[in-house]
Amino acid sequence: MITSLHLKDFKNFQNAKIKLGPVTTLVGANGSGKSNLCDAFRFLHGIGRGYTLAQIFGGALGVGGEKVWEGIRGGAVGCARHGQEGFAIKLETLHESGSDETLVYEINVLTPKAPHEPTVRQEQLLMEEEEVYAAKKESLQDVQFSLSLAGLPDGNWDIDDKSPALYDAWKLSQNVEEEDPSGVIDLNEAGYLLGSLESLKSCLGEIRFLDLVPDQLRKPCAPGQSVLGARGENLSGVLQSLLKEEKNSQVLLSWIDSLLPHEIAGIEVVPVSPSTVQIALHEPGGNMVDGDRVSDGTLRFLGFLVALMTADPGELLFLEEVENGIHPSRLHLLIELIESQAQHRGIQVILTTHSSTLLDFLNKQSREHVYLIYRDRENSSGMVQQVMALPEAGNIIEKQGLGKLHASHWMEDSTLFSLPDPEGE
Ligand SMILES: Nc1ncnc2c1ncn2[C@@H]1O[C@H](COP(=O)(O)OP(=O)(O)OP(=O)(O)O)[C@@H](O)[C@H]1O
Ligand SMILES: [Mg+2]
């Protein structure tokens, strides 16, 4: 589980830290920086997937020339705060779910204007404050990194500053034994630290971003899929795999039945061509609503349901503007779904929302992790404020409800009277 994120000069954030819970909710005016925070997680996800910086910022192609990664809004230069030539991101995560060993990862990136490429200036991973690896350049002009990796004598690793060193360090850690047949390395000690590279790489690589689009959700697709695409691709194929278990069918049906105002007798996935399948809903009396006619909101809800039911424990899901297309009277279902899956399956969720109604449905634990993203009145940089830490927040929220305070601008106004976070660096 990722426990905190600290941004320096990333997009509109000069210096902002956010602590994450099982369910973290980001609210704030248009243009305050919620999606910029999402971009920071996308940057980290790109590192976990082993991309170069040019690919992370600009997009990556697969072996067949198809786009497998979108790049980040604004590219490298757009990720550094206006007037800055780089940014830093620090992340804290637990080594394994259930453990309390903390990993701290930090990367500092230079983003010069074209024709120069973005480069890594410095990078480090600590486990329980012990260094797992550190990569740095002797000077800004240097291309080669000097990399120190736990337990290994300093070597002349062939690593340059065009890619984050995490992936290379992880690969090196895989064959430490072969690297050192003489047995100079204390493999027990090194192995303990090096195990954390795998943990961080998969933690970052498994972050998922969902921006579900009804047209993608309803499209027929190949059967037997296991992963829902970021825009909802493959919904029917993943659903088909889930429906093979009777227990899953019951769960899916009961959620959709609660969502819709009319009764649903069954959810099915049916062939629509020799190579594709598509979702269909059964109504009582034998009517069948095929995928082309299922409503947009139903599809989006199903998309979230399927994504949460198929996420691996420990995975982080980033969901932007979750309320889109869902009727306010049904938003409690969406929140119940997210909170229950986060709790029972050990998934972590970050959501952004503009819905005051949705905020009123958050449970007590999730309310602790509602953050207001706003602009500093003096220098306009992005600020992150835990809503429960605003003066008198507990009492006022108890009396008026979070939604009403959200809609009335109370949160923004209260930041005028809040003290700076003592942990802010
Ligand atoms: N490199 C940068 N330096 C400073 N500010 C930036 C930078 N890049 C983006 N911004 C600011 O961030 C704003 C966009 O923020 P973002 O997309 O995160 O908003 P949001 O909170 O998601 O809003 P919405 O609710 O409308 O989606 C831009 O309007 C711009 O002012
Ligand atoms: Mg946004």
Side-chain angles (χ1 to χ4, degrees), residues 141-160:
Q141 288 71 36
D142 227 343
V143 174
Q144 230 53 30
F145 267 142
S146 71
L147 175 74
S148 52
L149 189 61
L152 291 191
D154 282 349
N156 195 8
W157 317 109
D158 184 21
I159 291 179
D160 70 30

Side-chain angles (χ1 to χ4, degrees), residues 101-357:
E101 284 174 329
T102 307
L103 301 181
V104 180
Y105 173 67
E106 195 167 0
I107 184 165
N108 193 318
V109 177
L110 292 168
T111 56
K113 290 193 173 71
H116 302 288
E117 279 179 64
T119 57
V120 179
R121 182 180 201 166
Q122 224 177 332
E123 201 180 331
Q124 189 186 43
L125 175 64
L126 303 176
M127 165 137 103
E128 293 293 273
E129 297 179 11
E130 267 195 80
E131 185 179 289
V132 179
Y133 81 88
K136 62 173 190 299
K137 298 189 276 196
E138 292 312 318
S139 72
L140 286 186
Q141 288 71 36
D142 227 343
V143 174
Q144 230 53 30
F145 267 142
S146 71
L147 175 74
S148 52
L149 189 61
L152 291 191
D154 282 349
N156 195 8
W157 317 109
D158 184 21
I159 291 179
D160 70 30
D161 60 1
K162 306 279 192 294
S163 304
L166 172 66
Y167 204 77
D168 292 305
W170 168 75
K171 272 197 294 193
L172 284 166
S173 75
Q174 302 295 295
N175 43 29
V176 162
E177 235 162 330
E178 287 114 78
E179 293 282 342
D180 182 46
S182 60
V184 176
I185 305 165
D186 179 349
L187 281 173
N188 278 339
E189 169 67 8
Y192 163 73
L193 288 172
L194 294 177
S196 61
L197 284 163
E198 175 76 38
S199 169
L200 179 68
K201 187 186 139 292
S202 54
C203 162
L204 301 183
E206 284 168 8
I207 304 176
R208 293 182 60 205
F209 304 85
L210 289 184
D211 181 11
L212 301 177
V213 181
D215 282 354
Q216 291 294 339
L217 290 157
R218 71 173 81 249
K219 247 191 200 159
C221 67
Q225 304 281 339
S226 55
V227 182
L228 184 72
R231 300 176 74 75
E233 300 89 340
N234 296 338
L235 174 69
S236 297
V238 185
L239 205 50
Q240 185 203 29
S241 309
L242 274 176
L243 289 171
K244 283 185 184 142
E245 276 191 44
E246 179 53 29
K247 193 179 72 184
N248 290 336
S249 309
Q250 300 287 334
V251 173
L252 284 157
L253 186 61
S254 81
W255 281 108
I256 293 301
D257 199 42
S258 319
L259 177 78
L260 297 176
H262 50 278
E263 210 183 316
I264 288 293
I267 302 175
E268 228 188 291
V269 171
V270 295
V272 288
S273 81
S275 57
T276 57
V277 290
Q278 194 184 28
I279 179 180
L281 299 183
H282 279 286
E283 291 182 353
N287 271 349
M288 191 152 111
V289 183
D290 63 38
D292 291 338
R293 291 185 295 148
V294 176
S295 83
D296 290 358
T298 310
L299 285 169
R300 275 179 60 83
F301 191 88
L302 255 173
F304 287 130
L305 188 51
V306 164
L308 288 160
M309 284 175 77
T310 51
D312 289 326
E315 209 171 282
L316 173 71
L317 289 179
F318 202 112
L319 314 177
E320 282 239 54
E321 300 182 6
V322 277
E323 71 277 14
N324 281 350
I326 313 275
H327 190 272
S329 72
R330 294 298 192 271
L331 284 175
H332 69 100
L333 284 175
L334 186 65
I335 286 302
E336 257 172 62
L337 172 68
I338 291 171
E339 287 175 340
S340 62
Q341 294 294 313
Q343 191 190 346
H344 295 125
R345 309 207 45 246
I347 301 161
Q348 197 175 8
V349 180
I350 303 178
L351 48 101
T352 72
T353 184
H354 286 301
S355 166
S356 304
T357 312

